[in-house]
Amino acid sequence: MTAVPVAIGRRTTASDAALATMGDRLVDTHGRVHRDLRISLTDRCSLRCTYCMPEQGNEWLARSSILSTDEIVEVAEAAAHLGIRTFRLTGGEPLLRRDIVDVVHRIARIEGPDGRVEVAMTTNGISLADKLPALIEAGLTRLNISIDTIDRQKFADLTRRDRFDDVLEGIAAAAASELRPLKLNAVAMRGVNDDELADLVQFAMDVGAQLRFIEQMPLDAGHTWDRTTMVTREEILEKLGERWQLDPVPGRGGAPAEKWRIDGGPHEVGVIASVTAPFCGACDRLRLTADGQFRNCLFSNAEYDLTGVLRDTAASVAPIERAAAIEALLRSCVHGKLPGHAINDPSFLQPARGMNAIGG
């Protein structure tokens, strides 16, 4: 991984001047305006999904390296100043963070150039039923819940945990709330859940949610991903088309999911096809890992280290200078963003971090 330090109080360089010409928003060299920052709150998870991490022997981030709530809010304020509108809290499992309600509350009160920001979350749903009322009161506006199968035994085999009822309880609580659109995420896997794709969509429709299928990506901690076993976008659509008529929904914009209207509506289904139908040209997302590294692409091996700005200078630099340094690092991160992830190039190297350590 590549760490890119930021020096505070240094002399302006030609590179700095080039970044300054981008204006007050985060625009990369390919013209993409960035509006979404995904913040990982922890690399730990209450499940051990086979496509994500081993059941045992995981090397977790040191607790001392995890960003504090004050540090997260400081970064979010600087990002919002540069036009980030949506902050999605991820993990690992974000609900494992003890101060999750406070994190939501403080970020939800940040104002950017376009008004108050949105706070979304991606979760496995475990413990969601108990925490959801407080999260909504704190300012949570959108929610994605991961569920790859609605078969109890498959769930236990896939996640290596017997928590199926807890996830269903979380989904029921979300369905009964005012949070809309409610989205359920499912990774399509050959020989695992490819025989229940339509059933997953029906389950989502029954609870008033939108199912979004995700092509399995090379982001597992064990680096065992195999393209030949991946269920593709076309296969997903073909199987769903056996039960329903699917009509493309126009106006995708920078959203990662293509959407199709089911039998004329109102229900829709989405597919995130990062491998077979990349959407890099409209990508407006950045990521912040739980240990303070900016990433400009989910599949990148380059990281931009924030910890020096947040910690090494905490006592010696005024808040306004720290904010400027965070913004400069964000601009450097965006400036270094490539036109695409190159998964389909023979030279592609899988990121050293697994998905749980990068943030969903």
Side-chain angles (χ1 to χ4, degrees):
M1 282 181 267
T2 303
V4 180
V6 169
I8 297 177
R10 61 182 176 150
R11 184 174 300 173
T12 300
T13 67
S15 177
D16 295 327
L19 292 173
T21 63
M22 294 181 182
D24 295 331
R25 303 298 174 111
L26 291 168
V27 185
D28 67 17
T29 58
H30 308 282
R32 295 169 294 198
V33 182
H34 292 72
R35 304 179 179 89
D36 184 304
L37 178 61
R38 304 190 171 200
I39 301 176
S40 177
L41 301 182
T42 178
D43 63 330
R44 297 172 186 260
C45 188
S46 41
L47 300 176
R48 295 291 183 274
C49 296
T50 56
Y51 59 83
C52 186
M53 65 176 81
E55 183 174 11
Q56 298 177 339
N58 292 284
E59 295 185 8
W60 307 114
L61 295 172
R63 292 191 182 276
S64 60
S65 73
I66 303 297
L67 297 184
S68 69
T69 299
D70 285 344
E71 290 168 335
I72 290 169
V73 172
E74 186 176 6
V75 174
E77 288 174 340
H81 182 255
L82 295 178
I84 295 293
R85 301 174 185 173
T86 300
F87 294 87
R88 176 169 294 279
L89 305 179
T90 71
E93 173 47 50
L95 293 180
L96 290 179
R97 180 106 177 191
R98 293 181 180 179
D99 60 349
I100 181 62
V101 174
D102 188 44
V103 173
V104 171
H105 175 83
R106 293 180 63 183
I107 295 178
R109 274 138 191 83
I110 295 174
E111 296 276 347
D114 304 306
R116 186 164 288 188
V117 303
E118 280 194 318
V119 182
M121 182 184 297
T122 297
T123 172
N124 62 27
I126 296 173
S127 80
L128 180 63
D130 291 336
K131 296 178 180 178
L132 188 57
L135 290 168
I136 293 174
E137 184 177 358
L140 186 70
T141 55
R142 288 190 283 125
L143 190 62
N144 289 22
I145 304 174
S146 299
I147 181 166
D148 298 315
T149 176
I150 51 174
D151 181 283
R152 182 180 300 276
Q153 186 57 52
K154 281 186 185 179
F155 183 92
D157 293 340
L158 178 64
T159 67
R160 304 183 178 110
R161 297 290 186 272
D162 184 16
R163 306 301 297 271
F164 186 62
D165 289 335
D166 296 319
V167 175
L168 291 185
E169 187 179 2
I171 291 173
S177 77
E178 66 269 29
L179 296 182
R180 291 296 184 276
L182 172 62
K183 298 175 182 177
L184 305 183
N185 294 344
V187 177
M189 291 165 280
R190 195 175 308 284
V192 179
N193 64 355
D194 55 337
D195 61 340
E196 57 176 321
L197 301 184
D199 293 337
L200 279 161
V201 173
Q202 186 63 59
F203 171 78
M205 292 194 292
D206 290 345
V207 299
Q210 177 192 118
L211 202 292
R212 304 196 317 168
F213 289 107
I214 303 171
E215 287 185 338
Q216 192 170 356
M217 298 176 284
L219 291 169
D220 59 302
H223 289 206
T224 61
W225 179 79
D226 183 351
R227 178 187 294 272
T228 63
T229 65
M230 185 186 70
V231 180
T232 68
R233 166 186 177 274
E234 292 305 318
E235 290 179 88
I236 294 168
L237 295 176
E238 181 179 354
K239 291 198 175 188
L240 300 184
E242 294 172 358
R243 186 178 298 191
W244 300 289
Q245 177 181 326
L246 302 178
D247 297 309
V249 177
R252 177 181 181 180
E258 293 178 90
K259 293 190 294 184
W260 284 264
R261 192 169 290 111
I262 299 172
D263 281 349
H267 297 292
E268 297 175 347
V269 62
V271 179
I272 300 175
S274 299
V275 179
T276 65
F279 41 91
C280 304
C283 179
D284 65 352
R285 290 168 298 286
L286 301 170
R287 284 177 166 77
L288 175 63
T289 66
D291 58 345
Q293 308 294 316
F294 278 133
R295 297 174 64 93
N296 56 31
C297 177
L298 185 57
F299 303 98
S300 176
N301 273 297
E303 297 186 338
Y304 297 74
D305 187 6
L306 257 176
T307 56
V309 174
L310 293 174
R311 295 181 174 178
D312 296 349
T313 65
S316 60
V317 177
I320 190 169
E321 291 184 66
R322 285 160 56 84
I326 294 170
E327 291 185 15
L329 193 60
L330 266 168
R331 291 192 185 281
S332 293
C333 179
V334 170
H335 186 68
K337 189 166 183 173
L338 299 175
H341 55 48
I343 284 178
N344 296 307
D345 189 284
S347 64
F348 174 76
L349 294 176
Q350 182 171 338
R353 293 188 191 238
M355 185 68 161
N356 67 299
I358 296 173

